[in-house]
Amino acid sequence: MKVLFPADYFRASQPDELYAEQATAFARLGFGVSTFAFEGNRQFRPPLEPGDLVLYRGWMLDAAEYGALGDAVQAAGGQLFTSTCAYLNAHHLPRWAPLLPDLTSETACFHDLSAVEDGLRALGWERFFIKDFVKSLKTGGGSVIERPEQIGALMRDMEQFRGKIEGGICARRFEEFRPGTERRYFVLDGGAVSPDGSPPPRIVLDCAGRISSRFFSVDVAERADGQLRIVEIGDGQVSDLVGWSVPSFAALWAGRALQMVSTPEDSL
C-alpha cells in the first residue's frame, strides 16, 4: 500500500509542509510514500507501481478534482483505496445525513440556490445552521441564522470568503452543544477508533455500519440535554487530526501495509 501526499509547490518530490510529519510517520511504518503535483505536470514522485493500492492524505478536493486524481492514479497503474463514490458518501452531507436521522440534526438540502429562502420558510424552524455540501462558514456573519430572509447575505459571504458554494446549500435544525465536548473518531474498515484508544461511544459504533466508505471520520458532541449527537461525517483522507497526534493517527494503519487488499468501492 502507498500513501499519497500533495507535493510541496517548490520541491515536488517532498510533501507539502502541512503533511511532512505524517509522511515521515507512514514511512517509518513501512508504507511507500509518494507525492503528487496537483499543479503543473501532475506527476507522482516516486512513480506509482502497477497494482499499488493508494491512500490519499491531503487537502479537501471537490468531486471533479477527486475524480481526476483517481483517473491519474489508475493511469499510473494503481487504484485509490477510497473510490470517488465512497469519498462523496462521507464528504457530502446530503449523502450521509439521511442515513443517520436518529443520530444527527434534522437536515434539508437544496441544489437550486434560488429556492433556498422559500425552502427554509417552509421548514418553519426557529434557527438554522447553514453550510454547503461540505463546510460551514467560519468568517463573516457565521453560519447560524434565525430568519429565512438572512440566507441571501450568508450565501454571498460563503462565495466571498470560500470562493464558491460546493454542491448546494444544506440547512440543519439548530442544536445547542456543550462547549468543549466535540471529539473526532475514525472508522477504518468498519472498526471505530478513538484518539486515546478508549472504547468509542455507542453512537459512533452505530454510525460505523451505516456509511458506505472504508475510511471516514465521525465528530460527536454532547447536546445541551446531555445526549451525544453526530455533528459531522467526513472522508478520513481529508479530515484534520483534531484531537489526534500524528503517531496515534498513523497507528490506525500499523501492520496493514501487507494486509490491505484492493477492494473496488465503485458499487458503494
Side-chain angles (χ1 to χ4, degrees):
M1 185 177 186
K2 185 160 289 185
V3 187
L4 182 67
F5 295 91
D8 181 86
Y9 184 80
F10 297 103
R11 298 175 301 163
S13 63
Q14 300 297 314
D16 183 275
E17 63 179 354
L18 291 176
Y19 301 99
E21 185 180 358
Q22 294 181 45
T24 298
F26 274 100
R28 286 174 177 169
L29 286 174
F31 288 86
V33 172
S34 288
T35 64
F36 181 67
F38 282 90
E39 299 181 3
N41 57 27
R42 298 178 63 82
Q43 290 186 357
F44 298 97
R45 296 180 174 85
L48 301 185
E49 298 178 4
D52 271 343
L53 183 62
V54 178
L55 173 72
Y56 170 64
R57 182 64 193 156
W59 47 66
M60 290 184 180
L61 305 174
D62 64 25
E65 291 167 339
Y66 192 83
L69 174 63
D71 291 343
V73 168
Q74 188 172 26
Q79 179 183 349
L80 282 173
F81 179 75
T82 300
S83 69
T84 299
C85 181
Y87 174 77
L88 295 176
N89 284 345
H91 189 58
H92 276 185
L93 192 153
R95 295 221 188 183
W96 61 261
L99 304 177
L100 311 174
D102 53 326
L103 306 179
T104 195
S105 303
E106 188 176 351
T107 303
C109 299
F110 306 90
H111 289 82
D112 182 357
L113 300 185
S114 67
V116 178
E117 183 173 335
D118 288 341
L120 297 184
R121 191 167 287 108
L123 291 172
W125 300 340
E126 291 184 358
R127 302 179 77 184
F128 308 83
F129 182 84
I130 303 296
K131 58 186 297 181
D132 66 12
F133 284 10
V134 178
K135 296 178 68 176
S136 58
L137 184 67
K138 295 179 172 56
T139 53
S143 296
V144 178
I145 61 174
E146 296 181 351
R147 303 187 310 277
E149 57 266 28
Q150 295 174 307
I151 189 62
L154 195 156
M155 288 193 296
R156 287 191 293 273
D157 283 348
M158 291 179 78
E159 291 178 326
Q160 176 183 351
F161 292 106
R162 292 193 48 214
K164 66 177 181 179
I165 293 175
E166 184 171 343
I169 289 292
C170 293
R172 313 203 74 197
R173 193 165 195 164
F174 182 82
E175 295 186 355
E176 191 76 49
F177 295 105
R178 291 179 177 173
T181 63
E182 188 168 340
R183 198 175 193 199
R184 174 159 292 175
Y185 301 85
F186 283 99
V187 175
L188 176 58
D189 281 339
V193 185
S194 63
D196 60 3
S198 62
R202 180 75 250 175
I203 191 172
V204 178
L205 301 179
D206 288 345
C207 175
R210 303 189 197 182
I211 307 300
S212 295
S213 173
R214 294 179 69 180
F215 182 44
F216 58 96
S217 61
V218 183
D219 293 350
V220 175
E222 188 175 327
R223 201 166 58 187
D225 62 2
Q227 184 175 351
L228 290 180
R229 300 286 280 167
I230 301 292
V231 177
E232 191 75 69
I233 301 293
D235 176 72
Q237 302 172 108
V238 300
S239 296
D240 292 335
L241 301 186
V242 178
W244 289 69
S245 66
V246 169
S248 64
F249 178 75
L252 279 172
W253 302 88
R256 289 178 175 262
L258 298 178
Q259 299 173 13
M260 287 293 179
V261 295
S262 178
T263 304
E265 292 185 299
D266 291 328
S267 61
L268 295 179

